Amino acid sequence: MTLMVVVFAITANAQYSTNYYNQYGNSIGSSTTRSNYGGGYTTDYYNQYGASTGSATTRSNYGGGATTNYYNQYGSSTGSASTHSNYGGGYTTNYYDSYGASTGSSTTRSNYGGGTTTNYYDQYGRSIGSSTTRENYGGGTSTTYYDAYGNNIGSSSGW
């Protein structure tokens, strides 16, 4: 399960771009998210050379929460995710492979003073990393990713 999970709100007809970097600051890819006609949104992923590596479509569920379906660059399903709000705040996302088997989960909560922290777990509930997201002065967001031991493994910036 990739640790690159970016959460944000998209208004109608809006577009949101994110650039990803490794722990040394080198570009490792990007994504562009756009709203879909009729609701939901689509994210297209690219490697550092601009070649497509896949996509994801997210839609709201009747009764609450959201479902995301992931595809490779050929349009074949590679998995899905289901997100729901938690009692008391924050939300949880459960990840599945293309056969519906659990591959892990994540929990996101707001931080005192601003920003959010997301903790990632494998399918057995063991921590595999975390990320912190903060708003940038002047707009956009920055996310820093950490492994299970707290080591910086990369970052992303979106606007």
Side-chain angles (χ1 to χ4, degrees):
M1 179 183 67
T2 180
L3 291 187
M4 292 185 177
V5 178
V6 181
V7 179
F8 45 81
I10 302 173
T11 58
N13 302 316
Q15 185 163 294
Y16 192 95
S17 296
T18 302
N19 292 308
Y20 302 96
Y21 306 91
N22 63 18
Q23 63 267 50
Y24 308 109
N26 300 316
S27 174
I28 57 173
S30 64
S31 66
T32 301
T33 300
R34 64 186 188 278
S35 300
N36 294 328
Y37 179 79
Y41 54 89
T42 295
T43 302
D44 295 307
Y45 298 96
Y46 306 91
N47 64 19
Q48 64 269 45
Y49 306 107
S52 174
T53 59
S55 64
T57 60
T58 300
R59 58 177 171 75
S60 297
N61 297 327
Y62 180 79
T67 295
T68 301
N69 292 300
Y70 299 97
Y71 306 91
N72 63 20
Q73 63 268 48
Y74 307 109
S76 301
S77 175
T78 58
S80 63
S82 178
T83 301
H84 62 270
S85 298
N86 296 327
Y87 179 80
Y91 56 89
T92 294
T93 301
N94 295 304
Y95 302 93
Y96 306 91
D97 65 19
S98 55
Y99 302 102
S102 173
T103 59
S105 64
S106 64
T107 59
T108 299
R109 57 177 171 75
S110 297
N111 297 326
Y112 180 80
T116 60
T117 294
T118 300
N119 293 300
Y120 303 96
Y121 306 92
D122 66 16
Q123 62 267 49
Y124 305 108
R126 298 176 299 203
S127 174
I128 57 173
S130 64
S131 64
T132 58
T133 299
R134 67 183 190 280
E135 293 186 5
N136 297 326
Y137 180 80
T141 60
S142 293
T143 301
T144 304
Y145 303 92
Y146 305 92
D147 65 18
Y149 304 102
N151 300 309
N152 185 326
I153 58 173
S155 64
S156 65
S157 61
W159 65 95

